[in-house]
Amino acid sequence: MSRSTQDLRAAGTDGPVRPAQQLLSPTELRRVFGAFPSGVTAIAALVDGRPVGLAASSFTSVSLDPPLLSVCVAHTSTTWPLLAGRARLGVTVLGAEQERACAQLASRGSDRFAGLDWHATEDGAVVLDGAGAWFDTSVERRIPAGDHDIVLLRIHGLDADHSVPPLVFHASRFRRLEQLDSARRTA
C-alpha cells in the first residue's frame, strides 16, 4: 500500500482509494466535489433597468485588506457576460428559506426574479431581501481556470443577519443546518 493510500485510510475514508486518473471524469469530479458542503449565493445587477442574476455555490472570502471575495463562473454561462461589465454586482448569501429563489436563479427561465423580493443599490448592484448576508462589489480581476473563470470581487459595502440560517448545497441537494436544542448542547 502506498504512503498516500495509508494516509487516506488512516484519515477514515470509506471504501477503496482509487488512483486519480480513474477519478477525472466530469461526473466523478462533480460527485466527489459534492462531498464538500457550500453556501449558495446570488450574483446580480441591473441590466437595462432590470435585475439579472445567477446562482453560484463557489463563493469564498479572499482578503481582508483589500476586502476581496471570489466566485467561479462557468465559461458556458449565458448570464455572466451580461453581468461582467457592470459597475457593481450584488452578492447575496442565500438563507435556508430561499431555496426557491436559488432554483429560479439557476434556471434558464426568462424572468429569474419573478416573485422575488430584491432591491438595487445606487450603483446597480442587486441583492435579495431576507438573506443571511449581502455584499456590494465590483470586478477586481478575472482569472481563467479551466472551464471556469475565478472572479475576484472588491467589496464596497456589506451587511449580515446572523439570525438567518444559511442555505447549504451538498451532494447535489439543498440542505439546512441542524439547530441543536439547548438540552443536547449541555449533554
Side-chain angles (χ1 to χ4, degrees):
M1 188 180 315
S2 72
R3 177 74 179 147
S4 61
T5 302
Q6 288 173 341
D7 292 344
L8 286 170
R9 289 211 171 113
T13 60
D14 292 332
V17 176
R18 293 174 282 177
Q21 63 269 23
Q22 291 178 359
L23 302 177
L24 298 180
S25 76
T27 301
E28 189 68 0
L29 282 166
R30 190 173 290 114
R31 183 187 73 79
V32 176
F33 285 160
F36 182 73
S38 66
V40 185
T41 61
I43 314 300
L46 291 178
V47 176
D48 298 328
R50 293 184 40 228
V52 172
L54 55 87
S57 61
S58 58
F59 161 90
T60 192
S61 58
V62 173
S63 171
L64 299 177
D65 186 18
L68 298 171
L69 62 85
S70 73
V71 294
C72 294
V73 182
H75 291 163
T76 57
S77 172
T78 56
T79 305
W80 176 246
L82 301 172
L83 296 172
R86 300 287 115 190
R88 294 290 177 92
L89 297 174
V91 178
T92 305
V93 178
L94 299 178
E97 300 302 320
Q98 293 177 306
E99 185 175 328
R100 181 182 69 83
C102 182
Q104 248 178 260
L105 290 166
S107 75
R108 300 224 181 250
S110 60
D111 187 0
R112 294 179 181 176
F113 285 84
L116 301 182
D117 295 325
W118 59 273
H119 68 275
T121 67
E122 283 183 23
D123 294 319
V126 170
V127 296
L128 295 175
D129 298 334
W134 64 266
F135 301 87
D136 176 8
T137 70
S138 61
V139 175
E140 178 86 2
R141 185 171 169 208
R142 289 184 352 187
I143 303 161
D147 58 3
H148 281 64
D149 281 343
I150 300 168
V151 183
L152 291 177
L153 298 170
R154 181 173 290 263
I155 302 166
H156 302 283
L158 70 167
D159 202 359
D161 181 349
H162 292 283
S163 69
V164 175
L167 182 61
V168 177
F169 192 67
H170 176 256
S172 298
R173 292 181 35 206
F174 293 117
R175 301 179 189 263
R176 297 165 189 237
L177 295 180
E178 179 181 350
Q179 189 69 22
L180 297 178
D181 61 30
S182 59
R184 286 178 61 190
R185 277 186 245 149
T186 57

